[in-house]
Amino acid sequence: MDRRIKKNQTAIMHALLQLILEKEFEKITINEIAERADVNRGTVYSHYADKYDLLDKCIEDQLRHLMETCYAIDAAEPFQTKAPLLLTIKEIEINARLYKALLRIKDVPSFRIHLSSMMNKQIMAQLKANSHLCLDDLGQSIFAQFMSSAIVGVIEWWFAQSMPCSAEELTDRLWSLLEMNLMTG
């Protein structure tokens, strides 16, 4: 990819993320994004269909970074140990302002859906790696959906409660629940 294109896309994404920290997504305009990114409005439209498309690309980029962090320790299987979960929660903690802002965007639940999907895939990989568990494919899918929704819900609760415990404690408690549910599943 042309360096100029990549530079513009990075500037545009960064501009949107900065604006999301300052105001409601619904009130952000393409003109504000272009101005903040120091590009023409047409440049934004040459890369993204609209601000919702740009938001989706930003979310994908943020979650790709989160996944890279998560896979950093146990690349073979996510969540074989709690270390990748801890890294994920710590990364979320470090970028709490941004993730809180992304989770509270009205009428655009894509960040929550993407985060839940990422967790679901990790849990499914864990279930497939633990073939000794007596769950058929449907049981694995239901369990992964249940746990991924629960984990994202707990992260949302953690933010809403002004992060009343450390990333380590949250991870320990989530890991205990995951292990308990895996044993009974």
Side-chain angles (χ1 to χ4, degrees):
M1 178 184 299
D2 184 323
R3 284 190 310 195
R4 215 175 15 171
I5 292 171
K6 183 69 176 155
K7 182 180 173 188
N8 282 342
Q9 287 176 333
T10 300
I12 293 165
M13 285 184 171
H14 182 72
L16 176 63
L17 294 175
Q18 290 303 309
L19 287 164
I20 286 172
L21 291 172
E22 297 169 16
K23 63 196 279 186
E24 293 178 29
F25 174 75
E26 294 77 16
K27 295 180 180 177
I28 297 171
T29 66
I30 291 292
N31 285 339
E32 290 174 307
I33 296 166
E35 187 176 310
R36 181 70 61 99
D38 197 26
V39 298
N40 294 322
R41 177 183 161 103
T43 302
V44 176
Y45 283 117
S46 72
H47 298 294
Y48 308 100
D50 54 27
K51 72 178 187 177
Y52 297 96
D53 181 40
L54 172 57
L55 177 63
D56 279 343
K57 300 295 188 283
C58 285
I59 288 170
E60 288 171 16
D61 191 57
Q62 290 298 312
L63 289 176
R64 184 174 27 263
H65 173 71
L66 198 57
M67 285 295 293
E68 289 167 0
T69 300
C70 178
Y71 279 102
I73 288 182
D74 290 353
E77 293 295 337
F79 293 174
Q80 276 298 93
T81 67
K82 72 179 169 183
L85 180 60
L86 176 60
L87 282 174
T88 303
I89 303 270
K90 279 185 169 186
E91 183 67 23
I92 289 171
E93 182 180 44
I94 289 166
N95 294 298
R97 269 187 73 219
L98 176 61
Y99 291 126
K100 279 184 200 179
L102 289 171
L103 281 167
R104 74 172 173 257
I105 294 174
K106 296 177 184 122
D107 301 327
V108 187
S110 59
F111 183 71
R112 185 182 205 298
I113 290 167
H114 282 57
L115 183 59
S116 184
S117 176
M118 180 188 88
M119 294 289 180
N120 187 299
K121 287 176 187 169
Q122 293 171 336
I123 292 166
M124 283 297 291
Q126 175 71 19
L127 291 171
K128 294 203 183 305
N130 288 300
S131 57
H132 66 279
L133 299 173
C134 298
L135 290 174
D136 62 8
D137 288 346
L138 180 60
Q140 287 180 2
S141 293
I142 291 169
F143 179 78
Q145 181 61 43
F146 171 77
M147 290 306 296
S148 62
S149 296
I151 290 169
V152 172
V154 168
I155 290 168
E156 287 177 316
W157 167 88
W158 190 47
F159 287 155
Q161 300 302 311
S162 301
M163 301 182 344
C165 60
S166 67
E168 290 82 1
E169 184 177 354
L170 184 64
T171 301
D172 287 342
R173 290 175 184 249
L174 280 170
W175 188 256
S176 293
L177 291 170
L178 184 61
E179 284 183 323
M180 185 175 15
N181 281 293
L182 279 172
M183 284 183 225
T184 61

